[in-house]
Amino acid sequence: YLGTQSCKACHPGAYEVYMKTKHSHAWKTLQDKGKDCDVGCIACHSVGFEKPGGYCRLQDVKTYENVGCENCHGPGAGHAQNPGDRAAWSSKFVRNPPETTCVTCHNEEHSDQFNFETYRPRILGPGHGSLEAQAE
């Protein structure tokens, strides 16, 4: 895991769309509620918490704050180091995350109103998966 800032240089369009989403300030919602030390909340509000190649210590969170690219697309270190060599990428790295990725965090306990077909378009835009935006 690299953190979302590592994706910005090569994917500026996607990053711009991302910055307009609630995902881009998910860590602040924990801070505002005083839950930024609650290990039951951290994994859904940051990148790679307690995952292989991620981080485990709260003092390391700065690089991984917010719901970032790798929460949805998977660990990006191999992609960043070898962008043209898919064999070097993590097998968990995907272009179009399935609904099962979203419901890991957007589940009945934490997001009982979540509907994949309704919510997914809210995180898409030009340079970030929106077919309508790509056609314009």
Side-chain angles (χ1 to χ4, degrees), residues 51-71:
K51 293 184 179 177
Y55 76 104
C56 295
R57 300 177 317 162
L58 288 179
Q59 63 257 36
D60 297 330
V61 73
K62 189 68 180 159
T63 300
Y64 306 102
E65 288 179 350
N66 301 312
V67 176
C69 306
E70 295 168 296
N71 286 79

Side-chain angles (χ1 to χ4, degrees), residues 3-19:
T4 300
Q5 287 298 317
S6 298
C7 305
K8 182 179 178 180
C10 295
H11 303 282
Y15 185 81
E16 185 177 328
V17 170
Y18 160 77
M19 288 304 296

Side-chain angles (χ1 to χ4, degrees), residues 16-62:
E16 185 177 328
V17 170
Y18 160 77
M19 288 304 296
K20 295 174 186 172
T21 70
K22 290 181 179 182
H23 284 165
S24 71
H25 40 93
W27 187 256
K28 185 174 181 333
T29 64
L30 285 186
Q31 290 176 317
D32 290 350
K33 294 179 179 181
K35 293 190 172 208
D36 51 326
C37 290
D38 185 333
V39 294
C41 298
I42 293 169
C44 287
H45 289 259
S46 67
V47 174
F49 183 64
E50 295 186 329
K51 293 184 179 177
Y55 76 104
C56 295
R57 300 177 317 162
L58 288 179
Q59 63 257 36
D60 297 330
V61 73
K62 189 68 180 159

Side-chain angles (χ1 to χ4, degrees), residues 12-14 25-27 36 46-48 59-60 71 80 84 95 99-102 108 122-124 128 131 135:
H25 40 93
W27 187 256
D36 51 326
S46 67
V47 174
Q59 63 257 36
D60 297 330
N71 286 79
R95 181 175 184 158
E99 181 176 0
T100 54
T101 299
C102 304
E108 289 204 19
R122 296 180 189 179
I123 62 166
L124 302 178
H128 191 242
L131 296 177

